[in-house]
């Protein structure tokens, strides 16, 4: 006897054998028991979730004669009467299946509908099952509309499709629609364990877990992969063989990758990527596994681990504790986007390496704020929140005191100083607003400071010489110089996205080339005086002056007075 594949051998014969579609089984079962039968049913869902199977079981329920030949419409077909066995064997004359993928024209549909004029020959109902109904042409749909709306009492339509969006609404409105859902991996794994136990095939839980996840919600795919795994493993299912057959990435590699990313260890990340290449493992599978692990980590960070039967639970908990929640969310998003980009890369491993390096480059902790140590130029004082406070002091080399000048006080005039003969210069701190409301209001205004004058001149020179461009120029324009010492300047920006290590380093190099040999630190906070704000105020003043010049022009005034002329808003531009 020839071998029957598992997907056909274990196709459900009645509603009780259906797996993962309880909502459909319950609705159809109650309708059959109460004899509230619709004339047209539409089953939707992805491949391998049971659309054709439900159609055949429904046909048996409508035509079952019972084991004694006295049965009627039932939700539990007997499976032994002539109607049940013939439908299972595909030779029941009153049950017709039409594959719309290959019979999509109006002629095929009309040929099917011609049979509707004749009563059932063998059964209680005629059942027309049209699979992949969305493939029918527009004329074919139109040809069946009238019969579909008012069929004879002995005729039932069953339509199945994987893409209900392509089915005309005129057809949808005439059908009772059921959506068969993709099956959960746990449901697929339990069913595979039952099938393999019936087949007498040895297996372990990890191999079944890999197969159930690879099926992506399709029971038919799961059974087909199981057939392949049995052949690959010579009659047994072991995790190593199944993983090799699927090209799946061992979770240990993924755990090492996530651990290295949490530690910011780029060398280990690249080494693991090279190891995956050597083993011939799928780059897309790597990112998929990483996404699954990061999703579990995010759940653990939010609500704690809810599954204790998972062997990876302990490792997931350890990684969740080692990585901040916001970083977990960022890595998850980049992994999802990276899977779509792998196909555009020169090769998939180059794409994988770039995605992993991007995970490192965009780590929230990568832009660490630099602070001055006691052994360097000094410790910057913290601004106070009171209106009157003792002026802060900064540490200096022995025997020297660095005076601090309040912003409102004029800077003492002295002979011109040369950077080479100055040990230290006064540190000026920009006072922060006292109230949060003032901080919100100041974000849209300009509060000029002496440090702002100096910084605006420096940035203007850099921009004029095109020494800074793109993100570096944006960082310089949007930053406020809040403090400067002989070898260190402190900048402040309002957006964390501007505070990138590469941008800071390029700005520092441009300052060095311009004669300012200083180190830079960038903090995030409220900015009240930046070159960009100064440029915006200057542009607003030029715009206001231009508008006033036009409005005060005698000719314009006469035109407005005598002819009702109006100035088009936005048409005045300063030159």
């Amino acid at each position: 006897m020839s071998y029957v594949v598992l997907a056909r051998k274990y196709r459900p014969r009645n509603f009780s054998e259906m797996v993962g579609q309880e909502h459909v089984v319950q609705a159809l079962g109650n309708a059959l028991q109460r004899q509230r039968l619709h004339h047209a049913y539409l089953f939707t869902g992805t491949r391998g979730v049971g659309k054709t199977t439900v159609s055949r079981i429904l046909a048996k329920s409508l035509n079952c004669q019972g084991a004694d030949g006295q049965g009627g419409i039932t939700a539990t077909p007997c499976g032994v009467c002539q109607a049940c066995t013939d439908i299972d064997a595909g030779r029941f004359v009153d049950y017709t299946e039409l594959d719309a993928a290959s019979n999509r024209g109006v002629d095929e549909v009309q040929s099917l509908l011609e049979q509707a004029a004749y009563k059932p020959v063998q059964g209680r109902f005629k059942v027309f099952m049209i699979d992949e109904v969305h493939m029918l042409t527009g004329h074919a749909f139109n040809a069946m509309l009238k019969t579909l709306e008012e069929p004879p009492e002995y005729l039932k339509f069953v339509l199945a499709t994987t893409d209900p969006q392509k089915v005309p609404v005129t057809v949808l409105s005439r059908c009772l629609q059921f959506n068969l859902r993709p099956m959960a991996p746990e449901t697929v794994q339990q069913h595979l364990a039952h099938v393999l136990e019936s087949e007498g095939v040895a297996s372990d839980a990890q191999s079944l877990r890999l197969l159930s996840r690879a099926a992506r919600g399709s029971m038919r795919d799961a059974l087909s992969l199981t057939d392949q795994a049995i052949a690959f493993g010579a009659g047994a299912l072991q995790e190593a063989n199944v993983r090799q057959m699927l090209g799946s990435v061992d979770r240990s590699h993924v755990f090492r990758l996530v651990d290295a990313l949490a530690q910011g260890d780029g060398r280990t990340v690249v080494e693991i990527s090279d190891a995956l290449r050597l083993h011939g493992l799928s780059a897309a599978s790597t990112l998929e596994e990483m996404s699954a692990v990061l999703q579990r980590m995010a759940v653990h960070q939010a609500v704690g681990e809810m599954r204790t039967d998972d062997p990876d639970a302990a490792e997931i908990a350890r990684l969740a504790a080692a990585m901040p929640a916001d970083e977990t969310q960022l890595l998850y998003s980049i992994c999802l986007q990276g899977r779509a980009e792998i196909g555009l890369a020169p090769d998939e491993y180059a794409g994988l390496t770039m995605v992993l390096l991007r995970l490192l480059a965009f780590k929230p902790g990568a832009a660490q704020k630099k602070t001055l140590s006691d052994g360097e130029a000094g410790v910057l004082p913290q601004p106070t929140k009171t209106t009157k406070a003792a002026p802060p002091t900064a540490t200096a080399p022995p025997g020297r005191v660095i005076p601090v000048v309040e912003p409102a006080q004029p800077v003492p005039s002295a002979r011109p100083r040369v950077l080479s003969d100055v040990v230290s210069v006064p540190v000026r701190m920009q006072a922060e607003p006292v109230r949060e409301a003032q901080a919100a209001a100041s974000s849209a205004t300009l509060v000029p400071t002496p440090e702002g004058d100096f910084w605006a001149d420096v940035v203007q020179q850099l921009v004029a010489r095109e020494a800074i461009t793109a993100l570096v120029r944006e960082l310089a324009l949007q930053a406020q110089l809040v403090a400067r010492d002989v070898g260190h300047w402190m900048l402040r920006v309002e957006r964390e996205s501007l505070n990138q290590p590469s941008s800071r380093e390029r700005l520092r190099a441009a300052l060095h080339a311009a004669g300012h040999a200083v180190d830079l630190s960038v903090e995030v906070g409220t900015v009240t005086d930046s070159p960009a704000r100064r440029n915006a105020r200057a542009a607003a003043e030029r715009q206001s002056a231009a508008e006033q010049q036009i409005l005060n022009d005698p000719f314009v005034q006469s035109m407005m007075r005598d002819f009702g002329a109006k100035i088009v808003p936005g048409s005045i531009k300063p030159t």
Side-chain angles (χ1 to χ4, degrees), residues 307-324:
R307 292 176 51 192
T308 58
D309 57 340
D310 190 351
D312 298 333
E315 188 67 13
I316 293 289
R318 184 187 70 82
L319 293 174
M323 182 177 292

Side-chain angles (χ1 to χ4, degrees), residues 258-381:
V258 177
D259 197 10
L261 291 170
Q263 303 299 328
D265 188 355
R267 180 179 296 276
T268 301
V269 169
V270 175
E271 289 176 352
I272 297 175
S273 177
D274 292 339
L276 294 176
R277 180 195 293 269
L278 292 176
H279 288 85
L281 300 177
S282 170
S285 176
T286 302
L287 293 178
E288 182 179 350
E289 287 289 338
M290 287 187 65
S291 300
V293 169
L294 290 167
Q295 183 267 337
R296 292 280 308 281
M297 290 170 55
V299 172
H300 188 281
Q301 291 168 344
V303 298
E305 184 58 56
M306 302 178 64
R307 292 176 51 192
T308 58
D309 57 340
D310 190 351
D312 298 333
E315 188 67 13
I316 293 289
R318 184 187 70 82
L319 293 174
M323 182 177 292
D326 58 343
E327 189 171 332
T328 302
Q329 295 289 340
L330 176 62
L331 299 187
Y332 177 78
S333 177
I334 294 179
C335 284
L336 291 184
Q337 296 174 3
R339 289 180 59 189
E341 297 175 4
I342 282 184
L344 304 176
D347 64 83
E348 64 172 2
Y349 290 101
L352 173 63
T353 303
M354 288 303 297
V355 172
L356 296 177
L357 294 179
R358 187 183 309 160
L359 296 177
L360 282 177
F362 284 91
K363 279 171 60 69
Q368 295 291 340
K369 299 177 182 178
K370 297 174 64 178
T371 58
L372 295 175
S373 62
D374 292 340
E376 296 177 343
V379 178
L380 292 175

Side-chain angles (χ1 to χ4, degrees), residues 231-246:
F232 188 86
L237 269 66
Q238 297 179 352
E239 179 185 4
N241 291 336
V242 173
R243 191 179 295 279
Q244 182 180 359
M245 180 194 78
L246 297 175

Side-chain angles (χ1 to χ4, degrees), residues 417-433:
R417 297 186 178 183
V418 182
L419 190 61
S420 60
D421 63 357
V422 177
V423 176
S424 61
V425 297
V427 177
R428 302 177 180 89
M429 295 298 299
Q430 173 65 29
E432 294 184 359

